Amino acid sequence: MFEIRNITRKNIIKMKPYSSARNEYNGKAKIWLDANENPNKSNSNRYPDPLQLDLKMKLAQLKKVNPDQIFIGNGSDEAIDLLFRAFCEPQLDRAFIFPPTYGMYKVYADINNIEIVSLPLQDDFSLPTINVIKSQIQSTGLLFVCAPNNPTGTMVNKQKLKKLANLFYGLIVVDEAYIDFSEEESAISLLDEIPNLVVLQTFSKAWGMAGMRVGMAFANEEIIAILNKIKPPYNINSQSQKEVLSALNNPKMVQNQIKIIKKERAKLIKELNLLKVVIQIFPSEANFILVKFKNANRVYKHLLNNGIVVRNRCSEIKETLRITIGSPLENQVLLNVLKKY
Ligand SMILES: *Cc1c(COP(=O)(O)O)cnc(C)c1O
């Protein structure tokens, strides 16, 4: 049976976490002389809440989980790093990825001295078959499923996730950075069913707050407790906590922006398909599209010469550029520039 204890590094189980001033006392007081702060009032003279409780209460309500099933990180990238540090024994455990996918999984694996095992996506960018995965996978470590996947835009269905969960006893990390642009519902609904599931989301993409550096991990209470145990004490600054909470209290604006971005995505796909230089556009459930061009490197340079930067993915997927859906005006300029190519 799956037990968190069995997959947690022994040094992490044993260690005593740092206890910050605000950890030791966080009730009400008239005078705070416990954290060596400057007493002169400003927006930021006090340390932030180390456990971001206001934010978690709101998120718990929205995502239909308990507050102690939520970890908040300095971007979801911080959660990825902490997962390696807590649940992968260097040079022993492995991390499994389905490339082409988000580059940071391998970077954090390398930093943490964890071997990466790559199980490439099929030609249509769907996950390898269960039999292929079964033959390659070991029982511990981390397995990353990016859904929708960056840079392909492909979604992974829940049935497949359940099957994966049946053959892997490490942690299955489903990275949902782009879930708000997809028609599928989040894997958060599977948390009760799959005890070794971690779902990552972020405020950096659909929520339009990349500069705030706030990401989320949802998992069972024991996994979250371990992430909290090893995180830097004040990992989310006060301003970020405040602005993210205020965005969650007024979701209308963002919901409207997402609607426009999805409409623009459809329009851009339609218009790009009319261009001779475009060979193929892969279906996307994210706020970007992966496009195969006749000579993508030349198209890339042409765009750069016209002041437009897209992401060149040729080294991973032949003749492709990843294009973020911009504002209606930006997308129109992109199309005009490509028409002149
Ligand atoms: C952008 C991105 C992230 C990073 O999110 P932050 O919260 O900004 O750290 C994570 N995963 C994927 C797949 C991404 O594309």
Side-chain angles (χ1 to χ4, degrees):
M1 221 192 62
F2 173 74
E3 287 235 27
I4 308 288
R5 229 192 136 70
N6 294 340
I7 62 157
T8 309
R9 288 174 64 187
K10 302 287 173 290
N11 62 310
I12 300 295
I13 295 176
K14 262 198 297 198
M15 69 166 278
K16 228 173 108 105
Y18 177 70
S19 183
S20 68
R22 291 299 132 82
N23 270 131
E24 292 187 358
Y25 183 82
N26 65 4
K28 283 212 160 53
K30 271 206 292 260
I31 297 177
W32 294 95
L33 303 175
D34 61 340
N36 302 344
E37 296 148 334
N38 183 323
N40 297 289
K41 266 208 170 39
S42 77
N43 279 338
S44 53
N45 67 313
R46 296 297 176 188
Y47 277 105
D49 174 3
L51 287 172
Q52 310 96 21
L53 289 178
D54 290 343
L55 187 48
K56 282 179 187 166
M57 294 301 280
K58 183 71 197 174
L59 273 173
Q61 186 194 333
L62 289 173
K63 307 282 179 182
K64 302 191 175 68
V65 296
N66 296 322
D68 52 9
Q69 289 177 296
I70 307 171
F71 169 82
I72 312 271
N74 190 278
S76 45
D77 281 353
E78 183 179 40
I80 297 171
D81 185 34
L82 294 180
L83 286 167
F84 273 108
R85 293 207 250 163
F87 301 108
C88 284
E89 195 65 59
Q91 297 186 304
L92 203 72
D93 289 319
R94 291 178 178 167
F96 303 88
I97 59 170
F98 300 114
T101 191
Y102 185 48
M104 288 306 283
Y105 311 140
K106 174 152 168 41
V107 170
Y108 281 124
D110 288 344
I111 291 170
N112 288 290
N113 207 3
I114 308 296
E115 189 188 329
I116 279 275
V117 179
S118 291
L119 311 172
L121 295 175
Q122 306 192 53
D123 288 344
D124 65 352
F125 298 141
S126 60
L127 292 192
T129 64
I130 287 294
N131 280 339
V132 167
I133 296 173
K134 214 173 179 169
S135 68
Q136 300 285 319
I137 214 161
Q138 276 126 13
S139 53
T140 57
L142 300 176
L143 170 71
F144 287 95
V145 182
C146 191
N149 186 41
N150 177 4
T152 61
T154 354
M155 196 52 193
V156 175
N157 73 41
K158 304 276 168 310
Q159 285 318 107
K160 194 91 180 201
L161 285 181
K162 286 187 199 176
K163 281 187 191 158
L164 281 178
N166 279 335
L167 50 95
F168 187 65
Y169 300 106
L171 291 185
I172 298 180
V173 184
V174 179
D175 186 342
E176 294 188 336
Y178 301 97
I179 190 70
D180 299 296
F181 301 106
S182 165
E183 305 307 313
E184 294 259 347
E185 83 170 296
S186 163
I188 288 176
S189 60
L190 299 176
L191 281 179
D192 289 338
E193 222 174 305
I194 308 176
N196 54 335
L197 177 67
V198 178
V199 179
L200 303 178
Q201 293 185 0
T202 179
F203 286 93
S204 297
K205 307 286 160 60
W207 284 90
M209 305 180 95
M212 288 288 148
R213 308 306 305 130
V214 182
M216 302 155 266
F218 303 91
N220 81 42
E221 293 81 352
E222 282 179 276
I223 295 172
I224 297 301
I226 289 169
L227 294 179
N228 283 332
K229 182 178 179 182
I230 66 173
K231 80 180 181 70
Y234 302 111
N235 60 330
I236 311 294
N237 70 63
S238 343
Q239 190 69 14
S240 294
Q241 292 192 39
K242 221 170 83 190
E243 292 205 18
V244 166
L245 182 59
S246 130
L248 287 173
N249 281 321
N250 304 288
K252 281 256 156 59
M253 189 178 73
V254 166
Q255 281 161 1
N256 196 40
Q257 290 172 354
I258 293 171
K259 225 184 267 167
I260 293 171
I261 289 169
K262 289 206 287 198
K263 227 165 93 189
E264 282 293 307
R265 179 179 67 195
K267 190 177 146 212
L268 200 54
I269 290 173
K270 202 173 125 216
E271 300 275 328
L272 283 172
N273 264 324
L274 300 175
L275 303 180
K276 264 213 234 82
V277 68
V278 171
I279 296 179
Q280 189 181 359
I281 303 171
F282 297 94
S284 169
E285 301 211 30
N287 66 332
F288 55 81
I289 47 176
L290 187 72
V291 184
K292 191 171 225 164
F293 289 94
K294 238 177 266 171
N295 201 341
N297 282 319
R298 243 188 109 213
V299 175
Y300 180 76
K301 280 200 201 104
H302 172 74
L303 291 174
L304 269 189
N305 290 339
N306 285 276
I308 300 175
V309 194
V310 299
R311 197 91 147 107
N312 192 333
R313 297 283 82 183
C314 289
S315 61
E316 293 181 282
I317 312 162
K318 264 188 219 145
E319 304 294 351
T320 55
L321 305 178
R322 191 195 69 192
I323 304 174
T324 305
I325 311 298
S327 69
L329 179 64
E330 289 170 337
N331 301 332
Q332 194 51 56
V333 174
L334 171 83
L335 282 168
N336 294 345
V337 166
L338 279 173
K339 278 175 196 161
K340 279 191 302 186
Y341 172 78

